[in-house]
Amino acid sequence: MMTPKVTVLDEFIIKRQKDFPFASGDLSRLLHDIGLAAKIINREVNKAGLVDILGMTGDSNVHGEEVKKLDIYANEELLSALRHGGMCCGIASEENEDFVVLNEPFARDAKYIVIMDPLDGSSNIDVNVSIGTIFSIYRRVTEEGLVEERDFLQKGLHQVAAGYVIYGSSTMLVYTTGFGVNGFTLDPSIGEFCLSHPNIRIPEMGMTYSVNQGYYSKFEAGVQRYIHYCQGEGQRGKKPYSLRYIGSFVADFHRNLINGGIFMYPATTGSPKGKLRLLYECNPLAMIAEQAGGMATDGKTRILELQPGRLHERTPVFVGSAGMVSKVMKMIAEERKGPQ
Ligand code: AHG
Ligand code: MN
Ligand code: MN
């Protein structure tokens, strides 16, 4: 029997270039560079238990959180792949307080910028649980020359492409350029991401909800009501939903994308803007969710319509199956309005 034809990531990216009229190939090259960095990061992630790379560096990142060595490694690999690729003029990262200006002559006038969370879910590294990389690509708003902050502070609506890599039981890269969502699984024997999940669609409803329920008492009434609903109390005898929470946004999101479900990181009384970051966590996964037929909101407003005020801004987020996200929004709106 003949082996079926395998489509690898780079081939797919080039084929899809025709979706963009007058495409010069720069975006294709940028996606290629990210795919390459992902393979290198994957290699290190897989070795994490073997080599002396675990543990803290002793530094903390801009949010005052402990930074693991792999966070820094992933950040540097991505920065280096993007810098050498020459297709972007600036990069913002969770691990850098300010955006990085690429001022080499071959990069400074490039038309794209990249925003990334190099390693998401990093508290899970030491315990061998799935982690990820998240990326978001925009066209710059300044015409040319050195990149400026306003190039990064664009609404998620303007993303040209977004994606993530999940380092799980297998490694996958999932991305969109605004024409649906496609998933590629890394075949380590040939070192290629192979198209394994073409045109991913998120089910309209799922049976899974993902939230750090330890904060239940700190959530607003509408969120608490929705959690009760998930637990079966609002569903007139129907089966309760299953609670699944990994604590890696990428991994929780990926499961819900494939099987249907909702991920929530709501505001708490202590953190009125929640925990997750708008630019490099919520916007990219919101674009993927929408492109797959799902929804993403901060409880009231569509995530992709939020105007960022600063690079490391946080936002509450509810993302996943459209039917589930609509339901929690409705409960939040009703509870905020109060009894009529
Ligand atoms: P990061 O490792 O990039 O800082 O992200 C961690 C995030 C996210 O991946 C996850 O959904 C969330 O933190 C978990 O937070 P809690 O531990 O508060 O539930
Ligand atoms: Mn993260
Ligand atoms: Mn991170």
Side-chain angles (χ1 to χ4, degrees), residues 138-157:
Y138 294 79
R139 207 163 275 121
R140 67 189 298 173
V141 290
T142 51
E143 299 270 300
E144 54 183 12
L146 295 186
V147 71
E148 294 174 25
E149 190 178 45
R150 64 194 165 110
D151 292 315
F152 296 92
L153 299 181
Q154 301 188 51
K155 290 184 182 175
L157 270 179

Side-chain angles (χ1 to χ4, degrees), residues 94 117 119-122 212 245 247-249 265 275 277 281:
E94 181 186 20
D117 179 352
L119 215 57
D120 172 65
S122 45
N212 186 341
Y245 191 70
S248 289
F249 188 20
Y265 210 110
K275 175 183 184 189
R277 271 58 67 113
E281 291 180 318

Side-chain angles (χ1 to χ4, degrees), residues 45-60:
V45 166
N46 283 322
K47 285 199 302 205
L50 294 171
V51 290
D52 183 28
I53 199 164
L54 287 180
M56 313 296 171
T57 58
D59 296 335
S60 50

